[in-house]
Amino acid sequence: MPEETKPPSSPLPEGDAKPTADKPAIPGGVQASTPGSVQSDLKSTSEKPAAAPAKPAAPSAAKPTVPPAAGAGSTPAAKPAAPAKPAVPTPTPWDSPLVAKLKRSYGSGIEPLTYAGQTYMVVDHSLIPEILHVLRDEEQFDYCVDITAVHYPQREKQFDLVWILYSFPRNERIRVKAQIKDGDSVPSSVPIWQTANWLEREVFDMFGIQFDGHPDLKRILLPEGWKGYPLRKDYGILQQDNEWVQINLGIESGQ
């Protein structure tokens, strides 16, 4: 048999790469990348981190200026002087035609004074009720506004008795004060002003002061039989007559 002839192998152009098992040859000497190599190339490219933008510099907080510490020999700043306290009003002598007339009659038995615009006279308690009659009958003080008392336990004469009088014709107000000891009594003013009735009962109820000649001197705010006088300074603010509460109300005092 004739010998089988093999077709001549076509020579590769110069410059062309020889094909390999994993990379086919591409004309022009360019070797194609396999799909795996392409992904590897892309991955290697993508893994390179992009340059991070520069961070802006943080603004520096302004620090408060700290005054330098005072040295051992430095003198501390002087404190401002305290404001001056306002002057306290004090009683001053009171003079008027009414005062002059009373002074002519009673001399040192009365001491007329004025305090913060309020006129009053301190009267010896032996002149009560004579001087009250004069003020009503001759000076037209026809209205007894109030009768009250003030307790000064440290004084020998512990109580100031105070009559507040008003004159409608004169449109004038005055106060009459008399100092008495604990246990002393004064004549009732009910015969001069009927309004003195309940006013004297209240003074008796709260201070224990007796008014001679009062038509019905008994307690007006507290019940009969109550022990103590609540407006005296030595009467405790929470004090009660526990015995009266127990007997009359049948309960223990809550204070």
Side-chain angles (χ1 to χ4, degrees), residues 152-159 179-182 184:
Y152 299 94
Q154 304 304 320
R155 269 182 3 193
E156 179 185 1
K157 294 183 177 180
Q158 295 188 19
F159 295 100
Q179 295 183 0
I180 62 172
K181 296 179 180 180
D182 187 15
D184 284 353

Tab-separated table of all heavy atoms in Angstrom, residues 152-159 179-182 184:
chain	number	residue	atom	x	y	z
A	152	TYR	N	-44.948	91.250	129.071
A	152	TYR	CA	-43.482	91.330	129.170
A	152	TYR	C	-43.067	90.595	130.436
A	152	TYR	O	-42.935	91.216	131.498
A	152	TYR	CB	-43.023	92.782	129.214
A	152	TYR	CG	-43.395	93.591	127.984
A	152	TYR	CD1	-44.566	94.344	127.958
A	152	TYR	CD2	-42.567	93.608	126.860
A	152	TYR	CE1	-44.901	95.090	126.835
A	152	TYR	CE2	-42.905	94.352	125.742
A	152	TYR	CZ	-44.075	95.093	125.734
A	152	TYR	OH	-44.420	95.827	124.623
A	153	PRO	N	-42.833	89.283	130.378
A	153	PRO	CA	-42.612	88.504	131.600
A	153	PRO	C	-41.351	88.882	132.365
A	153	PRO	O	-41.258	88.578	133.563
A	153	PRO	CB	-42.536	87.057	131.093
A	153	PRO	CG	-42.234	87.156	129.640
A	153	PRO	CD	-42.827	88.436	129.175
A	154	GLN	N	-40.377	89.550	131.731
A	154	GLN	CA	-39.142	89.903	132.423
A	154	GLN	C	-39.269	91.217	133.202
A	154	GLN	O	-38.362	91.566	133.966
A	154	GLN	CB	-37.985	90.025	131.411
A	154	GLN	CG	-37.774	88.766	130.561
A	154	GLN	CD	-37.540	87.530	131.409
A	154	GLN	OE1	-36.849	87.582	132.415
A	154	GLN	NE2	-38.115	86.406	130.990
A	155	ARG	N	-40.355	91.947	133.001
A	155	ARG	CA	-40.541	93.215	133.694
A	155	ARG	C	-41.222	93.017	135.039
A	155	ARG	O	-41.945	92.035	135.237
A	155	ARG	CB	-41.405	94.155	132.836
A	155	ARG	CG	-40.643	95.026	131.922
A	155	ARG	CD	-41.495	95.978	131.113
A	155	ARG	NE	-42.926	96.004	131.350
A	155	ARG	CZ	-43.799	96.602	130.541
A	155	ARG	NH1	-43.363	97.218	129.453
A	155	ARG	NH2	-45.072	96.587	130.808
A	156	GLU	N	-41.017	93.991	135.942
A	156	GLU	CA	-41.741	93.933	137.213
A	156	GLU	C	-43.231	94.139	136.974
A	156	GLU	O	-44.068	93.382	137.497
A	156	GLU	CB	-41.201	95.001	138.170
A	156	GLU	CG	-41.917	95.007	139.506
A	156	GLU	CD	-41.461	96.133	140.410
A	156	GLU	OE1	-40.593	96.929	139.975
A	156	GLU	OE2	-41.970	96.240	141.545
A	157	LYS	N	-43.561	95.185	136.196
A	157	LYS	CA	-44.951	95.366	135.759
A	157	LYS	C	-45.093	94.670	134.402
A	157	LYS	O	-44.752	95.228	133.360
A	157	LYS	CB	-45.273	96.859	135.655
A	157	LYS	CG	-45.239	97.566	137.016
A	157	LYS	CD	-45.627	99.036	136.880
A	157	LYS	CE	-45.657	99.716	138.252
A	157	LYS	NZ	-46.042	101.155	138.159
A	158	GLN	N	-45.603	93.454	134.469
A	158	GLN	CA	-45.526	92.569	133.310
A	158	GLN	C	-46.457	92.940	132.166
A	158	GLN	O	-46.207	92.539	131.031
A	158	GLN	CB	-45.824	91.124	133.742
A	158	GLN	CG	-44.813	90.528	134.692
A	158	GLN	CD	-45.061	89.047	134.924
A	158	GLN	OE1	-45.745	88.384	134.152
A	158	GLN	NE2	-44.509	88.531	136.011
A	159	PHE	N	-47.502	93.696	132.457
A	159	PHE	CA	-48.523	93.902	131.422
A	159	PHE	C	-48.666	95.376	131.047
A	159	PHE	O	-48.651	96.254	131.907
A	159	PHE	CB	-49.885	93.382	131.906
A	159	PHE	CG	-49.914	91.901	132.126
A	159	PHE	CD1	-49.794	91.391	133.411
A	159	PHE	CD2	-50.048	91.024	131.064
A	159	PHE	CE1	-49.810	90.034	133.632
A	159	PHE	CE2	-50.073	89.655	131.278
A	159	PHE	CZ	-49.949	89.154	132.565
A	179	GLN	N	-49.396	100.423	132.742
A	179	GLN	CA	-48.616	99.241	133.117
A	179	GLN	C	-49.101	98.732	134.475
A	179	GLN	O	-49.278	99.514	135.410
A	179	GLN	CB	-47.128	99.575	133.192
A	179	GLN	CG	-46.526	99.958	131.848
A	179	GLN	CD	-45.038	100.220	131.933
A	179	GLN	OE1	-44.426	100.124	133.008
A	179	GLN	NE2	-44.422	100.542	130.799
A	180	ILE	N	-49.300	97.405	134.554
A	180	ILE	CA	-49.762	96.797	135.807
A	180	ILE	C	-48.967	95.523	136.077
A	180	ILE	O	-48.413	94.910	135.155
A	180	ILE	CB	-51.274	96.480	135.779
A	180	ILE	CG1	-51.581	95.466	134.682
A	180	ILE	CG2	-52.097	97.744	135.580
A	180	ILE	CD1	-53.012	94.960	134.718
A	181	LYS	N	-48.929	95.130	137.356
A	181	LYS	CA	-48.270	93.894	137.752
A	181	LYS	C	-49.218	92.715	137.561
A	181	LYS	O	-50.437	92.875	137.454
A	181	LYS	CB	-47.830	93.970	139.222
A	181	LYS	CG	-46.794	95.030	139.517
A	181	LYS	CD	-46.445	95.024	141.002
A	181	LYS	CE	-45.407	96.095	141.334
A	181	LYS	NZ	-45.085	96.084	142.791
A	182	ASP	N	-48.639	91.532	137.540
A	182	ASP	CA	-49.448	90.320	137.474
A	182	ASP	C	-50.259	90.210	138.762
A	182	ASP	O	-49.724	90.298	139.872
A	182	ASP	CB	-48.540	89.098	137.304
A	182	ASP	CG	-49.325	87.824	137.054
A	182	ASP	OD1	-50.527	87.911	136.737
A	182	ASP	OD2	-48.722	86.733	137.177
A	184	ASP	N	-52.661	92.436	139.515
A	184	ASP	CA	-53.356	93.712	139.715
A	184	ASP	C	-54.629	93.739	138.863
A	184	ASP	O	-54.755	93.033	137.863
A	184	ASP	CB	-52.462	94.880	139.308
A	184	ASP	CG	-51.379	95.163	140.340
A	184	ASP	OD1	-51.419	94.532	141.420
A	184	ASP	OD2	-50.481	95.979	140.048
